[in-house]
Every structure is written in structure tokens, then in C-alpha cells.
Amino acid sequence: MVVESAAARATLLERYAAGEVRALSRAITVAESGGPEAQALLQGVRALSAQRQSAQWKRPRVIGLTGSPGSGKSTLTSALISHLRSAGQTVGVLAVDPSSPFSGGAILGDRIRMLAHHADPGVYVRSLATRGALGGLSGRSMAVLSVLEGFGFDVLLIETVGVGQSELEIASVADHTVLVLTPAGGDGVQAFKAGIMEVADVLVVNKADLPGAERLGRELRAAQMLAPHDEHTFFPPIVQTVASRDEGLSGLLEAVQSHRDHLGEAGVERRRLERARSELRSLMWQQVAARAEQASAELLADMASGRLSADEVARMLLRS
């Protein structure tokens, strides 16, 4: 666990507020560590963000990119960085990588793919290990996102690990969720049944130069019309990209803006309140799980033998 004195924490916050990148990296490390010191730092970071907002500081757009392994998320993220930088916008990237089975750290595949931007002072890339967390993100993703969000980037990109049908956590974290599909990814109608399709705000058919791209787009449009809808329903735009050739990126960002216009500022704020709820839920689950690990052998034996019910044991642990 990273331990910071109050004085060191104040200095770190001052350097962070001044835009020092090394302070940002250190703050993320502290936030990742968890515990009281991380919570104190996050409180300071969020207070700073609130002060900046009152001074008409614009919070960054948070765009989440998710999809199955091999869909080209990292290549698309790298291409988006280049496109946004050419427009003069600063970009922070949180790339959630699988954990090493040996060290538990991030396998830095995403950062390797983004090496082209390592010398650009307007780009900051941070890899984060899942450490066994499900949902496509890390258990510390929201804390790290708060630190990145308060630093003053124009846009934040969050790239999840490869996900399947039920990993929906990104939708509770990002302002806009972009689902990346490929023509070789299977039947689009079947894919639309998956939960991850239902929370996507923008659908991207990447590698659109491959055979089947037009067919996948048609299947997605047809599946959208089959879902319950009325005149107020927002249908996620379907965009074709070839990230390896930087094609379709303007259309993707226009689709994200279309969704933002649909939400309005009130809608974006509701999403950010839901992010806070999601973070609270995650922390509470961690605390409950920690209580379960504290159950003594005697309590477990009483439960296994039927002398106590699981409900009674749970209540005893939660009261302790």
C-alpha cells in the first residue's frame, strides 16, 4: 500500500493542480493502491474538480471503447488519439489490460500499440490491470478515472479488455459507450441480443474493408428496429471504420457528438451521478466480501451443520 503523509499529499495535490505529469502518475498510483490514503487523495482531487467547474472549467468527454478481443479496439484508440490531437485536443487514455498470471500486473499490450504517441506532451496513456475483476474494467478504474478527469484533458478514452455478452461495467463509467464489432465477429442479429449491445451508444463496424461489413451494418439496423421503440427512441448510430488506415474517425466522433446532443447536459450529469453510484456499489461489495473472508471456522461450521443459517451469519458479520 502506498502511504503518503498529509504534507506530502498536499504537495502532490498542488503539483497535480499545476499540471505536472509526474504528479498525475503518482496520484494514479496512490489511487490504485486503495485504502485511507487513496480516499483522502481522491477527496482532494474531486474537490479541486468541483472548484474548477465553478470557474467554468469544462469536464472532459469520457468515451469508452469496448468489444470482443481482436475487434481492433487498441488500433482504433490509437487512431482516435491522432485524430483528436490533429484537432488540438489533449487526450488521456486509460487502457485496461489483462493481468499477468505471474505478477498480477498489467500485460501492456495496449500501451505497446500506442507507442507512437509516447513523446506527445498532449497525450497521457496509463495501463491498468484487471486483477481478476470482471466487467471489462479494473476494480480501481473509477478512482483512476477521477484522477485523470480532474487533470484537465479535453477527452478521456477508456479501452476495456476484450468482453463478451454480459460485461456492462463500461456503460456505468463512460459518458458515451462505443461498441466495436468486426464483420468476422458472427451474426449481427444474434450479437444484438447480448447485453453489451443494449448499452452501446455508438456501434462501430471496424475493419470495414473486410467482406461482410455492409451485411453486418444492415443486420444491426434491422435488429434495432425490432427492439421496442417510439418516436423518442435514440438509435445508436452505426459507423464504419478502418482504424489501421485512419478511415471513418470523423464519422465516429460525429456519432459521439450526436449522442451527447441527445443526452443534453442534464443527461450527461445523470450519467455521472450513476458513475458515483456504481463506484459506491463497487466499494461496498469489496467491503462485504472482506467481511465474508473474516468469518471464523466456528461460524462456517455452524452454518455448514445447520445450527445457523447463512442469513444469520451474514447479519452477524455485517453488524461486527
Side-chain angles (χ1 to χ4, degrees), residues 127-193:
S127 292
L128 196 62
T130 58
R131 298 181 183 176
L134 301 177
L137 297 178
S138 160
R140 296 291 175 189
S141 295
M142 282 176 280
V144 174
L145 176 60
S146 291
V147 176
L148 284 167
E149 196 171 28
F151 194 70
F153 294 105
D154 295 314
V155 179
L156 293 180
L157 303 175
I158 308 175
E159 182 194 336
T160 74
V161 296
V163 299
Q165 294 188 356
S166 59
E167 294 87 345
L168 311 180
E169 189 177 347
I170 185 64
S172 64
V173 174
D175 298 336
H176 314 284
T177 301
V178 176
L179 176 60
V180 185
L181 304 166
T182 59
D187 181 5
V189 175
Q190 286 297 111
F192 195 82
K193 295 178 182 177

Short mmCIF file of all heavy atoms in Angstrom, two decimals, residues 127-193:
data_model
loop_
_atom_site.label_atom_id
_atom_site.label_comp_id
_atom_site.label_asym_id
_atom_site.label_seq_id
_atom_site.Cartn_x
_atom_site.Cartn_y
_atom_site.Cartn_z
N SER A 127 -1.84 2.21 -18.38
CA SER A 127 -2.38 0.86 -18.39
C SER A 127 -2.78 0.47 -16.98
O SER A 127 -2.13 0.87 -16.00
CB SER A 127 -1.34 -0.13 -18.93
OG SER A 127 -1.10 0.09 -20.30
N LEU A 128 -3.84 -0.31 -16.88
CA LEU A 128 -4.37 -0.71 -15.58
C LEU A 128 -4.72 -2.19 -15.67
O LEU A 128 -5.42 -2.62 -16.58
CB LEU A 128 -5.62 0.12 -15.27
CG LEU A 128 -6.15 0.15 -13.85
CD1 LEU A 128 -5.10 0.74 -12.90
CD2 LEU A 128 -7.42 0.97 -13.78
N ALA A 129 -4.24 -2.97 -14.72
CA ALA A 129 -4.51 -4.40 -14.71
C ALA A 129 -5.91 -4.68 -14.17
O ALA A 129 -6.37 -4.00 -13.24
CB ALA A 129 -3.47 -5.14 -13.87
N THR A 130 -6.58 -5.67 -14.74
CA THR A 130 -7.90 -6.05 -14.23
C THR A 130 -7.82 -6.66 -12.84
O THR A 130 -8.74 -6.54 -12.05
CB THR A 130 -8.58 -7.06 -15.18
OG1 THR A 130 -7.74 -8.21 -15.29
CG2 THR A 130 -8.84 -6.46 -16.54
N ARG A 131 -6.71 -7.37 -12.56
CA ARG A 131 -6.53 -8.04 -11.26
C ARG A 131 -7.73 -8.91 -10.91
O ARG A 131 -8.20 -8.93 -9.77
CB ARG A 131 -6.27 -7.02 -10.16
CG ARG A 131 -4.99 -6.23 -10.39
CD ARG A 131 -4.72 -5.24 -9.30
NE ARG A 131 -3.51 -4.47 -9.61
CZ ARG A 131 -3.05 -3.47 -8.88
NH1 ARG A 131 -3.70 -3.09 -7.79
NH2 ARG A 131 -1.96 -2.83 -9.22
N GLY A 132 -8.21 -9.60 -11.93
CA GLY A 132 -9.28 -10.56 -11.70
C GLY A 132 -10.68 -9.98 -11.71
O GLY A 132 -11.66 -10.71 -11.62
N ALA A 133 -10.81 -8.64 -11.84
CA ALA A 133 -12.14 -8.04 -11.84
C ALA A 133 -12.86 -8.39 -13.13
O ALA A 133 -12.27 -8.44 -14.20
CB ALA A 133 -12.04 -6.53 -11.69
N LEU A 134 -14.17 -8.64 -13.02
CA LEU A 134 -14.98 -8.90 -14.20
C LEU A 134 -15.58 -7.58 -14.68
O LEU A 134 -15.46 -6.56 -14.04
CB LEU A 134 -16.09 -9.90 -13.85
CG LEU A 134 -15.60 -11.26 -13.33
CD1 LEU A 134 -16.79 -12.13 -12.95
CD2 LEU A 134 -14.72 -11.97 -14.35
N GLY A 135 -16.22 -7.62 -15.84
CA GLY A 135 -16.90 -6.42 -16.32
C GLY A 135 -16.10 -5.65 -17.34
O GLY A 135 -16.56 -4.63 -17.84
N GLY A 136 -14.89 -6.13 -17.68
CA GLY A 136 -14.09 -5.45 -18.69
C GLY A 136 -13.21 -4.34 -18.15
O GLY A 136 -12.39 -3.78 -18.86
N LEU A 137 -13.39 -3.97 -16.86
CA LEU A 137 -12.60 -2.92 -16.25
C LEU A 137 -11.88 -3.46 -15.02
O LEU A 137 -12.06 -4.60 -14.62
CB LEU A 137 -13.50 -1.74 -15.85
CG LEU A 137 -14.22 -1.02 -16.98
CD1 LEU A 137 -15.11 0.08 -16.41
CD2 LEU A 137 -13.24 -0.41 -17.97
N SER A 138 -11.07 -2.60 -14.41
CA SER A 138 -10.41 -2.94 -13.16
C SER A 138 -11.26 -2.45 -12.00
O SER A 138 -12.06 -1.51 -12.14
CB SER A 138 -9.03 -2.27 -13.11
OG SER A 138 -8.56 -2.18 -11.79
N GLY A 139 -11.06 -3.07 -10.82
CA GLY A 139 -11.78 -2.62 -9.64
C GLY A 139 -11.44 -1.20 -9.25
O GLY A 139 -12.17 -0.55 -8.50
N ARG A 140 -10.31 -0.67 -9.74
CA ARG A 140 -9.88 0.68 -9.41
C ARG A 140 -10.09 1.65 -10.57
O ARG A 140 -9.61 2.80 -10.52
CB ARG A 140 -8.40 0.68 -9.02
CG ARG A 140 -8.11 -0.11 -7.75
CD ARG A 140 -8.67 0.59 -6.54
NE ARG A 140 -8.50 -0.21 -5.33
CZ ARG A 140 -9.05 0.09 -4.16
NH1 ARG A 140 -9.83 1.15 -4.06
NH2 ARG A 140 -8.86 -0.67 -3.11
N SER A 141 -10.79 1.23 -11.61
CA SER A 141 -10.93 2.07 -12.80
C SER A 141 -11.57 3.42 -12.49
O SER A 141 -11.13 4.45 -13.00
CB SER A 141 -11.77 1.35 -13.86
OG SER A 141 -11.10 0.20 -14.32
N MET A 142 -12.62 3.42 -11.67
CA MET A 142 -13.34 4.67 -11.43
C MET A 142 -12.51 5.66 -10.61
O MET A 142 -12.59 6.87 -10.81
CB MET A 142 -14.69 4.38 -10.77
CG MET A 142 -15.71 3.89 -11.79
SD MET A 142 -17.28 3.41 -11.09
CE MET A 142 -16.90 1.77 -10.50
N ALA A 143 -11.70 5.14 -9.68
CA ALA A 143 -10.82 6.01 -8.92
C ALA A 143 -9.77 6.64 -9.83
O ALA A 143 -9.51 7.85 -9.77
CB ALA A 143 -10.15 5.23 -7.79
N VAL A 144 -9.17 5.82 -10.69
CA VAL A 144 -8.17 6.33 -11.63
C VAL A 144 -8.80 7.31 -12.61
O VAL A 144 -8.21 8.35 -12.95
CB VAL A 144 -7.48 5.16 -12.36
CG1 VAL A 144 -6.54 5.69 -13.45
CG2 VAL A 144 -6.71 4.29 -11.38
N LEU A 145 -10.01 7.00 -13.06
CA LEU A 145 -10.72 7.91 -13.97
C LEU A 145 -10.93 9.27 -13.33
O LEU A 145 -10.77 10.31 -13.99
CB LEU A 145 -12.06 7.29 -14.38
CG LEU A 145 -12.96 8.16 -15.26
CD1 LEU A 145 -12.27 8.50 -16.57
CD2 LEU A 145 -14.29 7.47 -15.51
N SER A 146 -11.27 9.30 -12.05
CA SER A 146 -11.47 10.57 -11.35
C SER A 146 -10.20 11.41 -11.36
O SER A 146 -10.24 12.63 -11.54
CB SER A 146 -11.92 10.32 -9.91
OG SER A 146 -13.22 9.80 -9.88
N VAL A 147 -9.06 10.74 -11.17
CA VAL A 147 -7.77 11.46 -11.17
C VAL A 147 -7.48 12.00 -12.57
O VAL A 147 -7.06 13.16 -12.72
CB VAL A 147 -6.64 10.53 -10.69
CG1 VAL A 147 -5.29 11.23 -10.79
CG2 VAL A 147 -6.89 10.08 -9.25
N LEU A 148 -7.71 11.19 -13.59
CA LEU A 148 -7.49 11.66 -14.96
C LEU A 148 -8.44 12.79 -15.32
O LEU A 148 -8.06 13.77 -15.96
CB LEU A 148 -7.67 10.49 -15.94
CG LEU A 148 -6.54 9.46 -16.02
CD1 LEU A 148 -7.01 8.23 -16.78
CD2 LEU A 148 -5.31 10.06 -16.68
N GLU A 149 -9.69 12.66 -14.89
CA GLU A 149 -10.72 13.64 -15.24
C GLU A 149 -10.40 15.01 -14.67
O GLU A 149 -10.66 16.03 -15.28
CB GLU A 149 -12.07 13.15 -14.73
CG GLU A 149 -13.25 13.84 -15.35
CD GLU A 149 -14.55 13.17 -14.97
OE1 GLU A 149 -14.62 12.54 -13.90
OE2 GLU A 149 -15.51 13.26 -15.75
N GLY A 150 -9.83 15.05 -13.47
CA GLY A 150 -9.53 16.32 -12.83
C GLY A 150 -8.27 17.00 -13.34
O GLY A 150 -7.98 18.13 -12.95
N PHE A 151 -7.51 16.30 -14.20
CA PHE A 151 -6.22 16.85 -14.63
C PHE A 151 -6.36 17.90 -15.73
O PHE A 151 -5.46 18.69 -15.94
CB PHE A 151 -5.31 15.72 -15.09
CG PHE A 151 -3.86 16.13 -15.22
CD1 PHE A 151 -3.10 16.41 -14.10
CD2 PHE A 151 -3.27 16.23 -16.47
CE1 PHE A 151 -1.78 16.78 -14.21
CE2 PHE A 151 -1.94 16.61 -16.59
CZ PHE A 151 -1.19 16.88 -15.46
N GLY A 152 -7.50 17.86 -16.46
CA GLY A 152 -7.71 18.91 -17.46
C GLY A 152 -7.59 18.48 -18.89
O GLY A 152 -7.45 19.32 -19.78
N PHE A 153 -7.65 17.18 -19.16
CA PHE A 153 -7.67 16.72 -20.55
C PHE A 153 -8.98 17.14 -21.22
O PHE A 153 -10.00 17.31 -20.57
CB PHE A 153 -7.54 15.20 -20.62
CG PHE A 153 -6.21 14.67 -20.15
CD1 PHE A 153 -6.10 14.05 -18.91
CD2 PHE A 153 -5.08 14.79 -20.93
CE1 PHE A 153 -4.90 13.57 -18.45
CE2 PHE A 153 -3.85 14.31 -20.49
CZ PHE A 153 -3.77 13.70 -19.24
N ASP A 154 -8.93 17.28 -22.54
CA ASP A 154 -10.16 17.58 -23.29
C ASP A 154 -11.02 16.33 -23.46
O ASP A 154 -12.24 16.39 -23.38
CB ASP A 154 -9.81 18.16 -24.66
CG ASP A 154 -9.12 19.51 -24.56
OD1 ASP A 154 -9.59 20.36 -23.80
OD2 ASP A 154 -8.09 19.70 -25.24
N VAL A 155 -10.35 15.20 -23.71
CA VAL A 155 -11.06 13.94 -23.95
C VAL A 155 -10.36 12.83 -23.18
O VAL A 155 -9.12 12.78 -23.14
CB VAL A 155 -11.09 13.58 -25.46
CG1 VAL A 155 -11.80 12.26 -25.69
CG2 VAL A 155 -11.75 14.69 -26.28
N LEU A 156 -11.14 11.95 -22.58
CA LEU A 156 -10.60 10.74 -21.96
C LEU A 156 -11.15 9.53 -22.72
O LEU A 156 -12.35 9.42 -22.95
CB LEU A 156 -11.02 10.65 -20.49
CG LEU A 156 -10.43 11.69 -19.55
CD1 LEU A 156 -10.94 11.47 -18.13
CD2 LEU A 156 -8.89 11.63 -19.56
N LEU A 157 -10.25 8.63 -23.09
CA LEU A 157 -10.63 7.39 -23.76
C LEU A 157 -10.37 6.24 -22.80
O LEU A 157 -9.27 6.13 -22.24
CB LEU A 157 -9.81 7.19 -25.04
CG LEU A 157 -9.90 8.30 -26.10
CD1 LEU A 157 -8.95 7.99 -27.26
CD2 LEU A 157 -11.33 8.44 -26.61
N ILE A 158 -11.37 5.39 -22.60
CA ILE A 158 -11.21 4.20 -21.76
C ILE A 158 -11.37 2.99 -22.66
O ILE A 158 -12.43 2.78 -23.26
CB ILE A 158 -12.26 4.13 -20.64
CG1 ILE A 158 -12.30 5.42 -19.84
CG2 ILE A 158 -11.98 2.95 -19.72
CD1 ILE A 158 -13.41 5.45 -18.81
N GLU A 159 -10.33 2.19 -22.74
CA GLU A 159 -10.40 0.97 -23.53
C GLU A 159 -10.47 -0.22 -22.59
O GLU A 159 -9.58 -0.43 -21.76
CB GLU A 159 -9.19 0.84 -24.46
CG GLU A 159 -9.27 -0.40 -25.34
CD GLU A 159 -7.95 -0.72 -26.00
OE1 GLU A 159 -7.13 0.20 -26.18
OE2 GLU A 159 -7.74 -1.91 -26.34
N THR A 160 -11.53 -1.02 -22.70
CA THR A 160 -11.68 -2.18 -21.84
C THR A 160 -10.89 -3.36 -22.39
O THR A 160 -10.43 -3.36 -23.53
CB THR A 160 -13.16 -2.60 -21.72
OG1 THR A 160 -13.56 -3.25 -22.94
CG2 THR A 160 -14.06 -1.41 -21.44
N VAL A 161 -10.75 -4.38 -21.54
CA VAL A 161 -10.24 -5.65 -22.05
C VAL A 161 -11.31 -6.23 -22.97
O VAL A 161 -12.45 -5.76 -22.99
CB VAL A 161 -9.94 -6.65 -20.91
CG1 VAL A 161 -8.83 -6.13 -20.03
CG2 VAL A 161 -11.18 -6.93 -20.08
N GLY A 162 -10.97 -7.25 -23.74
CA GLY A 162 -11.95 -7.87 -24.61
C GLY A 162 -13.11 -8.44 -23.81
O GLY A 162 -12.90 -9.12 -22.81
N VAL A 163 -14.33 -8.11 -24.22
CA VAL A 163 -15.50 -8.52 -23.45
C VAL A 163 -16.42 -9.39 -24.28
O VAL A 163 -16.36 -9.44 -25.49
CB VAL A 163 -16.30 -7.30 -22.93
CG1 VAL A 163 -15.44 -6.46 -22.01
CG2 VAL A 163 -16.84 -6.47 -24.08
N GLY A 164 -17.33 -10.06 -23.59
CA GLY A 164 -18.33 -10.90 -24.24
C GLY A 164 -19.69 -10.26 -24.15
O GLY A 164 -19.85 -9.08 -24.41
N GLN A 165 -20.69 -11.03 -23.71
CA GLN A 165 -22.06 -10.55 -23.78
C GLN A 165 -22.51 -9.80 -22.54
O GLN A 165 -23.43 -9.00 -22.61
CB GLN A 165 -23.01 -11.73 -24.01
CG GLN A 165 -22.82 -12.39 -25.36
CD GLN A 165 -23.89 -13.41 -25.64
OE1 GLN A 165 -24.73 -13.68 -24.79
NE2 GLN A 165 -23.88 -13.98 -26.81
N SER A 166 -21.92 -10.06 -21.38
CA SER A 166 -22.52 -9.56 -20.14
C SER A 166 -21.66 -8.55 -19.39
O SER A 166 -22.03 -8.13 -18.31
CB SER A 166 -22.84 -10.74 -19.22
OG SER A 166 -21.67 -11.46 -18.92
N GLU A 167 -20.50 -8.19 -19.92
CA GLU A 167 -19.61 -7.27 -19.22
C GLU A 167 -20.02 -5.83 -19.54
O GLU A 167 -19.59 -5.26 -20.52
CB GLU A 167 -18.15 -7.51 -19.62
CG GLU A 167 -17.61 -8.87 -19.19
CD GLU A 167 -17.90 -9.97 -20.19
OE1 GLU A 167 -18.74 -9.76 -21.09
OE2 GLU A 167 -17.30 -11.04 -20.07
N LEU A 168 -20.85 -5.26 -18.68
CA LEU A 168 -21.51 -4.00 -18.98
C LEU A 168 -20.98 -2.82 -18.17
O LEU A 168 -21.54 -1.74 -18.23
CB LEU A 168 -23.02 -4.14 -18.72
CG LEU A 168 -23.71 -5.36 -19.34
CD1 LEU A 168 -25.19 -5.36 -18.99
CD2 LEU A 168 -23.51 -5.40 -20.84
N GLU A 169 -19.92 -3.03 -17.41
CA GLU A 169 -19.48 -2.01 -16.47
C GLU A 169 -19.11 -0.70 -17.16
O GLU A 169 -19.30 0.37 -16.60
CB GLU A 169 -18.29 -2.53 -15.65
CG GLU A 169 -17.90 -1.64 -14.50
CD GLU A 169 -16.77 -2.24 -13.69
OE1 GLU A 169 -16.46 -3.42 -13.85
OE2 GLU A 169 -16.20 -1.49 -12.87
N ILE A 170 -18.59 -0.78 -18.37
CA ILE A 170 -18.14 0.43 -19.05
C ILE A 170 -19.29 1.42 -19.22
O ILE A 170 -19.09 2.64 -19.17
CB ILE A 170 -17.53 0.07 -20.43
CG1 ILE A 170 -16.94 1.32 -21.11
CG2 ILE A 170 -18.54 -0.61 -21.33
CD1 ILE A 170 -15.79 1.94 -20.37
N ALA A 171 -20.53 0.92 -19.37
CA ALA A 171 -21.67 1.81 -19.58
C ALA A 171 -21.98 2.65 -18.35
O ALA A 171 -22.58 3.72 -18.47
CB ALA A 171 -22.90 1.00 -19.98
N SER A 172 -21.56 2.19 -17.17
CA SER A 172 -21.80 2.97 -15.95
C SER A 172 -20.64 3.90 -15.64
O SER A 172 -20.68 4.63 -14.66
CB SER A 172 -22.03 2.02 -14.77
OG SER A 172 -20.87 1.25 -14.50
N VAL A 173 -19.61 3.90 -16.47
CA VAL A 173 -18.42 4.71 -16.23
C VAL A 173 -18.27 5.81 -17.28
O VAL A 173 -17.96 6.96 -16.95
CB VAL A 173 -17.15 3.82 -16.22
CG1 VAL A 173 -15.90 4.65 -16.11
CG2 VAL A 173 -17.24 2.81 -15.07
N ALA A 174 -18.50 5.48 -18.55
CA ALA A 174 -18.27 6.43 -19.64
C ALA A 174 -19.49 7.30 -19.91
O ALA A 174 -20.63 6.89 -19.67
CB ALA A 174 -17.89 5.68 -20.92
N ASP A 175 -19.25 8.50 -20.42
CA ASP A 175 -20.36 9.34 -20.90
C ASP A 175 -20.97 8.73 -22.16
O ASP A 175 -22.18 8.82 -22.37
CB ASP A 175 -19.85 10.75 -21.25
CG ASP A 175 -19.27 11.47 -20.05
OD1 ASP A 175 -19.63 11.13 -18.91
OD2 ASP A 175 -18.45 12.39 -20.27
N HIS A 176 -20.12 8.12 -22.98
CA HIS A 176 -20.54 7.54 -24.25
C HIS A 176 -19.85 6.20 -24.43
O HIS A 176 -18.62 6.12 -24.34
CB HIS A 176 -20.18 8.47 -25.42
CG HIS A 176 -20.54 9.90 -25.18
ND1 HIS A 176 -21.83 10.38 -25.25
CD2 HIS A 176 -19.77 10.97 -24.83
CE1 HIS A 176 -21.84 11.66 -24.96
NE2 HIS A 176 -20.61 12.05 -24.70
N THR A 177 -20.62 5.16 -24.67
CA THR A 177 -20.07 3.81 -24.83
C THR A 177 -20.06 3.44 -26.30
O THR A 177 -21.11 3.42 -26.96
CB THR A 177 -20.90 2.79 -24.04
OG1 THR A 177 -20.90 3.15 -22.66
CG2 THR A 177 -20.32 1.39 -24.20
N VAL A 178 -18.87 3.15 -26.82
CA VAL A 178 -18.69 2.77 -28.21
C VAL A 178 -18.40 1.27 -28.27
O VAL A 178 -17.44 0.80 -27.67
CB VAL A 178 -17.52 3.55 -28.85
CG1 VAL A 178 -17.26 3.08 -30.27
CG2 VAL A 178 -17.82 5.06 -28.83
N LEU A 179 -19.25 0.53 -28.95
CA LEU A 179 -19.05 -0.91 -29.11
C LEU A 179 -18.42 -1.18 -30.46
O LEU A 179 -18.95 -0.77 -31.50
CB LEU A 179 -20.38 -1.65 -28.99
CG LEU A 179 -20.32 -3.16 -29.23
CD1 LEU A 179 -19.40 -3.84 -28.21
CD2 LEU A 179 -21.71 -3.78 -29.17
N VAL A 180 -17.27 -1.85 -30.45
CA VAL A 180 -16.51 -2.12 -31.67
C VAL A 180 -16.79 -3.56 -32.11
O VAL A 180 -16.55 -4.51 -31.36
CB VAL A 180 -15.00 -1.91 -31.44
CG1 VAL A 180 -14.24 -2.08 -32.76
CG2 VAL A 180 -14.74 -0.53 -30.85
N LEU A 181 -17.30 -3.70 -33.33
CA LEU A 181 -17.60 -5.00 -33.92
C LEU A 181 -16.79 -5.17 -35.19
O LEU A 181 -16.29 -4.19 -35.76
CB LEU A 181 -19.09 -5.10 -34.25
CG LEU A 181 -20.07 -4.86 -33.10
CD1 LEU A 181 -21.47 -4.66 -33.63
CD2 LEU A 181 -20.04 -6.01 -32.12
N THR A 182 -16.68 -6.42 -35.65
CA THR A 182 -16.00 -6.67 -36.92
C THR A 182 -16.86 -7.59 -37.77
O THR A 182 -17.67 -8.36 -37.25
CB THR A 182 -14.63 -7.35 -36.70
OG1 THR A 182 -14.83 -8.59 -36.00
CG2 THR A 182 -13.70 -6.46 -35.91
N PRO A 183 -16.71 -7.53 -39.09
CA PRO A 183 -17.50 -8.39 -39.97
C PRO A 183 -17.31 -9.87 -39.67
O PRO A 183 -18.21 -10.67 -39.91
CB PRO A 183 -16.99 -8.04 -41.37
CG PRO A 183 -16.44 -6.66 -41.23
CD PRO A 183 -15.87 -6.58 -39.85
N ALA A 184 -16.16 -10.24 -39.14
CA ALA A 184 -15.88 -11.66 -38.86
C ALA A 184 -16.36 -12.07 -37.48
O ALA A 184 -16.11 -13.18 -37.04
CB ALA A 184 -14.38 -11.92 -38.97
N GLY A 185 -17.09 -11.17 -36.79
CA GLY A 185 -17.47 -11.44 -35.41
C GLY A 185 -18.73 -12.26 -35.23
O GLY A 185 -19.16 -12.51 -34.11
N GLY A 186 -19.37 -12.71 -36.32
CA GLY A 186 -20.56 -13.54 -36.18
C GLY A 186 -21.82 -12.81 -36.60
O GLY A 186 -21.80 -11.67 -37.08
N ASP A 187 -22.94 -13.44 -36.41
CA ASP A 187 -24.24 -12.93 -36.82
C ASP A 187 -24.59 -11.67 -36.04
O ASP A 187 -24.68 -11.70 -34.82
CB ASP A 187 -25.28 -14.03 -36.60
CG ASP A 187 -26.68 -13.60 -37.03
OD1 ASP A 187 -26.82 -12.51 -37.59
OD2 ASP A 187 -27.61 -14.39 -36.80
N GLY A 188 -24.86 -10.58 -36.73
CA GLY A 188 -25.17 -9.33 -36.05
C GLY A 188 -26.47 -9.38 -35.27
O GLY A 188 -26.59 -8.77 -34.21
N VAL A 189 -27.48 -10.11 -35.77
CA VAL A 189 -28.75 -10.20 -35.06
C VAL A 189 -28.56 -10.93 -33.74
O VAL A 189 -29.09 -10.54 -32.69
CB VAL A 189 -29.82 -10.90 -35.93
CG1 VAL A 189 -31.10 -11.10 -35.14
CG2 VAL A 189 -30.08 -10.09 -37.19
N GLN A 190 -27.79 -12.03 -33.76
CA GLN A 190 -27.51 -12.74 -32.51
C GLN A 190 -26.73 -11.85 -31.55
O GLN A 190 -26.99 -11.82 -30.35
CB GLN A 190 -26.69 -14.01 -32.81
CG GLN A 190 -27.49 -15.12 -33.43
CD GLN A 190 -28.59 -15.61 -32.49
OE1 GLN A 190 -29.76 -15.41 -32.75
NE2 GLN A 190 -28.21 -16.23 -31.40
N ALA A 191 -25.79 -11.09 -32.09
CA ALA A 191 -24.98 -10.21 -31.23
C ALA A 191 -25.84 -9.15 -30.57
O ALA A 191 -25.59 -8.75 -29.43
CB ALA A 191 -23.87 -9.55 -32.06
N PHE A 192 -26.88 -8.70 -31.28
CA PHE A 192 -27.71 -7.64 -30.73
C PHE A 192 -28.47 -8.08 -29.49
O PHE A 192 -28.88 -7.26 -28.67
CB PHE A 192 -28.71 -7.14 -31.79
CG PHE A 192 -29.34 -5.83 -31.42
CD1 PHE A 192 -28.66 -4.65 -31.67
CD2 PHE A 192 -30.58 -5.77 -30.82
CE1 PHE A 192 -29.22 -3.43 -31.31
CE2 PHE A 192 -31.15 -4.55 -30.47
CZ PHE A 192 -30.46 -3.38 -30.72
N LYS A 193 -28.66 -9.39 -29.32
CA LYS A 193 -29.35 -9.90 -28.14
C LYS A 193 -28.49 -9.75 -26.89
O LYS A 193 -29.00 -9.82 -25.78
CB LYS A 193 -29.70 -11.37 -28.33
CG LYS A 193 -30.70 -11.63 -29.45
CD LYS A 193 -30.94 -13.12 -29.58
CE LYS A 193 -31.91 -13.41 -30.71
NZ LYS A 193 -32.11 -14.87 -30.90
#
